[in-house]
Amino acid sequence: MTIFVDMDEVIADAYQAHIDIYNKEFNAQLKAEDCFGKEVWQCVPEEHQQTIKDHTYRDCFFKDLSIIADSQEVLKALSEKHDVYIASAAMEFPQSLREKSDWLDQHFPFISWQKRILCGDKHVLKGDVLIDDRSKNLAPFSGRSIMFTSPHNVNVSNFERADSWKEIADKLL
Amino acid sequence: MTIFVDMDEVIADAYQAHIDIYNKEFNAQLKAEDCFGKEVWQCVPEEHQQTIKDHTYRDCFFKDLSIIADSQEVLKALSEKHDVYIASAAMEFPQSLREKSDWLDQHFPFISWQKRILCGDKHVLKGDVLIDDRSKNLAPFSGRSIMFTSPHNVNVSNFERADSWKEIADKLL
């Protein structure tokens, strides 16, 4: 079985990083719970929104992301039974490409370079399962689309859903 | 129609770059014609082979590659009629990722970030045409596989072949 796994919001916690950077730089107290159903930039005053949108163009934004709970253990087990690919829509952010490769080397060394994909749109991926947090990636996929829960997507209802990597393990292991 | 186009030896002249660097550093006179049917490293004395194999791990190797003749004009025309993706097996060389993105920005700006793929193996790409110089990429592709002629592949006979971008234009435009 060929399984594609997204990075941001699925194995790497970009959402919380946006909040942490914003809170630090604006001396704010934003919490993930305040953002349910929205992008982080939609939860702050209008004059701060562009700053948050620009986080992903900064050097080191992707380098230091925290790991989503249990993703390492479950992906390790999955990769021993299946062809597991990391597929990240990273090409919009050229400075992120090396950072993402290094992040995977550090935290997911069992996913070899052969099984890593940095792309733009994901329409052209052929496989059995896609685990992703974005409708735009999940909708065109011809296999089984699993939406990984992130604060921004809690109100989306038209996909099979997993709230945690433990749930992914129950479904696929 | 979805068309995937490889970078090295197809739109970017990595083969000649290996020869140029070798000739400069070893005061040699190697020519592409001397290498027909072989990789560049197979055409030099054994004690020099590892140096050539290591070129692709150097900073700036991919940054300064020459453009394969007519690839810009033909790809521009193709991209106006079809979904053209660049698909490069670059993940083995983390230092190349940003260089390849920048090289495409410079020489192929009409291929937007949405249509760029940096990957490991290409087994998971779903589309109609793959233009590539390597059997290992062309063989598993389920669509039309076109081998783009490079000195190293002149003796491979089991694929449809294009010797130039003019031939690609005749086939696909």
Side-chain angles (χ1 to χ4, degrees):
Chain A
M1 193 159 74
T2 297
I3 302 171
F4 299 107
V5 178
D6 181 32
M7 286 183 78
D8 300 327
E9 328 293 343
V10 176
I11 63 172
D13 199 348
Y15 202 91
Q16 189 59 48
H18 281 298
I19 292 175
D20 291 345
I21 294 170
Y22 177 73
N23 283 344
K24 190 175 171 198
E25 297 185 355
F26 289 88
N27 195 24
Q29 282 83 39
L30 195 64
K31 297 187 194 72
E33 306 89 270
D34 305 330
C35 303
F36 280 176
K38 297 178 187 166
E39 307 296 332
V40 178
W41 63 266
Q42 293 173 316
C43 309
V44 303
E46 200 174 340
E47 62 268 29
H48 299 167
Q49 292 183 353
Q50 192 59 47
T51 310
I52 293 186
K53 288 182 188 174
D54 290 343
H55 284 167
T56 44
Y57 295 95
R58 292 187 187 185
D59 285 337
C60 297
F61 178 81
F62 292 98
K63 181 175 161 282
D64 299 321
L65 295 181
S66 301
I67 303 158
I68 299 280
D70 304 317
S71 60
Q72 288 165 304
E73 299 76 4
V74 177
L75 265 183
K76 179 118 184 30
L78 276 174
S79 68
E80 284 161 8
K81 295 176 78 173
H82 302 290
D83 283 329
V84 174
Y85 288 80
I86 301 295
S88 175
M91 297 305 297
E92 187 176 0
F93 313 108
Q95 93 293 347
S96 79
L97 302 173
R98 176 63 187 263
E99 293 182 13
K100 282 176 175 264
S101 171
D102 290 347
W103 192 90
L104 289 169
D105 283 345
Q106 187 179 355
H107 302 298
F108 293 83
F110 51 88
I111 309 278
S112 69
W113 63 262
Q114 287 92 343
K115 295 283 184 283
R116 300 177 184 182
I117 304 166
L118 301 176
C119 57
D121 65 47
K122 300 185 185 179
H123 307 176
V124 292
L125 297 179
K126 178 182 63 182
D128 302 295
V129 179
L130 171 62
I131 303 170
D132 205 292
D133 65 309
R134 297 276 168 191
S135 300
K136 68 177 178 188
N137 296 324
L138 294 165
F141 187 65
S142 58
R144 181 177 173 184
S145 290
I146 300 178
M147 176 167 273
F148 196 85
T149 297
S150 174
H152 72 82
N153 70 26
V154 292
N155 298 326
V156 179
S157 59
N158 43 339
F159 296 100
E160 179 183 353
R161 184 180 282 278
D163 289 335
S164 68
W165 275 94
K166 289 209 157 70
E167 276 190 39
I168 297 282
D170 290 342
K171 288 171 185 288
L172 300 180
L173 276 177
Chain B
M1 193 158 73
T2 297
I3 303 171
F4 299 107
V5 178
D6 182 31
M7 286 183 77
D8 300 326
E9 328 294 343
V10 176
I11 62 171
D13 198 348
Y15 203 91
Q16 189 60 46
H18 281 298
I19 292 175
D20 290 345
I21 294 170
Y22 177 72
N23 282 344
K24 188 173 172 199
E25 297 185 356
F26 288 89
N27 195 22
Q29 282 82 38
L30 194 64
K31 297 187 194 73
E33 307 88 271
D34 304 330
C35 301
F36 281 176
K38 296 179 188 167
E39 306 297 332
V40 179
W41 62 266
Q42 293 173 316
C43 310
V44 303
E46 200 174 338
E47 63 269 29
H48 299 167
Q49 293 183 353
Q50 193 59 47
T51 309
I52 293 186
K53 289 182 187 174
D54 290 343
H55 285 168
T56 45
Y57 294 96
R58 292 187 186 185
D59 285 338
C60 296
F61 177 82
F62 292 98
K63 182 175 161 283
D64 299 322
L65 296 182
S66 301
I67 303 158
I68 299 280
D70 305 316
S71 59
Q72 289 165 305
E73 297 77 3
V74 177
L75 264 184
K76 180 117 183 32
L78 276 175
S79 68
E80 284 161 9
K81 295 176 77 173
H82 301 291
D83 282 329
V84 174
Y85 288 80
I86 300 295
S88 174
M91 297 306 298
E92 187 176 1
F93 313 108
Q95 93 292 348
S96 79
L97 302 173
R98 176 64 187 261
E99 293 181 13
K100 283 176 175 262
S101 171
D102 290 347
W103 193 90
L104 290 169
D105 283 346
Q106 188 179 355
H107 301 299
F108 293 83
F110 52 86
I111 308 277
S112 68
W113 63 262
Q114 287 91 341
K115 295 284 184 282
R116 301 176 183 182
I117 304 166
L118 301 175
C119 58
D121 65 47
K122 300 186 186 178
H123 308 176
V124 293
L125 297 180
K126 177 183 64 182
D128 302 294
V129 179
L130 171 61
I131 304 169
D132 206 292
D133 65 308
R134 297 277 169 191
S135 300
K136 67 177 177 186
N137 296 324
L138 294 165
F141 187 65
S142 57
R144 180 177 174 184
S145 290
I146 301 177
M147 175 167 273
F148 196 86
T149 297
S150 174
H152 71 82
N153 70 26
V154 293
N155 298 325
V156 179
S157 59
N158 42 340
F159 296 99
E160 178 183 355
R161 183 180 282 277
D163 289 337
S164 68
W165 275 95
K166 289 210 158 71
E167 275 190 39
I168 297 282
D170 290 342
K171 288 172 186 288
L172 300 180
L173 276 177

